[in-house]
Amino acid sequence: MRAVVQCVSNASVLVDGSTVGSIGKGFLVLLGVGHDDTEEQAEKLWRKISRLRVFEDEQGKINLSLSDVGGEVLVVSQFTLYASCKKGNRPSFTEAAAPTHANELYEYFCQLAKDEGKTVQQGVFGAMMDVHLVNHGPFTLWLDTETL
C-alpha cells in the first residue's frame, strides 16, 4: 500500500459539486492499493500514520502525533499512486489493485482509524473527486509498506 500523507489545517472532498467529506486540523491521506496488498499491510500503514510525530509542540518542534493534537483524518482512494511512467507518456496502472480488492482494503484502512477513535471522513471510492486542502507546513510524506 502507498499513501501520501499531508498535514492540513482543513481539507474536503467533493463529488459532483457536493461535499462528501470534510475535516479540520489533521491528515489528508491519499491511499493507493496494489494488487498484492493485504489487511496486514493496511494495519502496518495505519499504525505508522497514526503515530507519526509531525505536528508542532509549544516550542515549535515537530513532536506531536495526530492523537496529541486531536486531529481528524480524510482518506481519499488514489489508485494513481501505482502509476508507472516508464514507457511513453500515458501512465500505466497495472500495479494497482482491481477495484473490488482495492475498495475492500480502502474500507478496512478507514475502519482501522475509526476503531482507534479518530474522526474519519472519506471520499467516494472510484468517483471523480475534487480535493481541497490547506497544507500546513507544508508537510507532506510519501509512505510505502514495502519500505516501512
Side-chain angles (χ1 to χ4, degrees):
M1 295 183 88
R2 294 177 179 165
V4 172
V5 180
Q6 297 180 299
C7 294
V8 297
S9 299
N10 61 71
S12 61
V13 61
L14 290 80
V15 175
D16 296 327
S18 296
T19 301
V20 296
S22 179
I23 64 167
K25 183 177 187 172
F27 287 149
L28 168 63
V29 179
L30 303 176
L31 184 68
V33 179
H35 52 76
D36 292 329
D37 288 336
T38 64
E39 288 184 356
E40 181 180 326
Q41 287 167 306
E43 293 163 6
K44 181 179 184 179
L45 184 59
W46 172 248
R47 275 193 312 271
K48 178 60 80 174
I49 290 171
S50 69
R51 288 158 182 77
L52 287 171
R53 295 182 351 181
V54 295
F55 295 96
E56 292 181 351
D57 63 17
E58 298 82 30
Q59 290 77 38
K61 292 188 178 196
I62 305 297
N63 200 33
L64 301 176
S65 70
L66 192 63
S67 292
D68 295 330
V69 300
E72 302 173 306
V73 182
L74 174 59
V75 185
V76 176
S77 61
Q78 190 77 34
F79 77 94
T80 61
L81 293 178
Y82 277 89
S84 172
C85 297
K86 285 184 179 182
K87 295 180 182 178
N89 294 317
R90 179 183 289 175
S92 168
F93 302 103
T94 59
E95 295 300 314
T100 301
H101 179 63
N103 189 31
E104 288 171 0
L105 285 180
Y106 168 75
E107 291 295 337
Y108 183 73
F109 179 90
C110 293
Q111 191 59 50
L112 291 169
K114 292 173 185 176
D115 289 348
E116 256 188 38
K118 303 292 185 262
T119 298
V120 178
Q121 297 284 308
Q122 296 176 231
V124 175
F125 185 88
M128 180 62 73
M129 296 175 273
D130 294 320
V131 180
H132 299 264
L133 68 135
V134 177
N135 188 274
H136 183 75
F139 206 108
T140 301
L141 298 171
W142 162 268
L143 302 173
D144 189 322
T145 54
E146 288 187 16
T147 59
L148 290 181

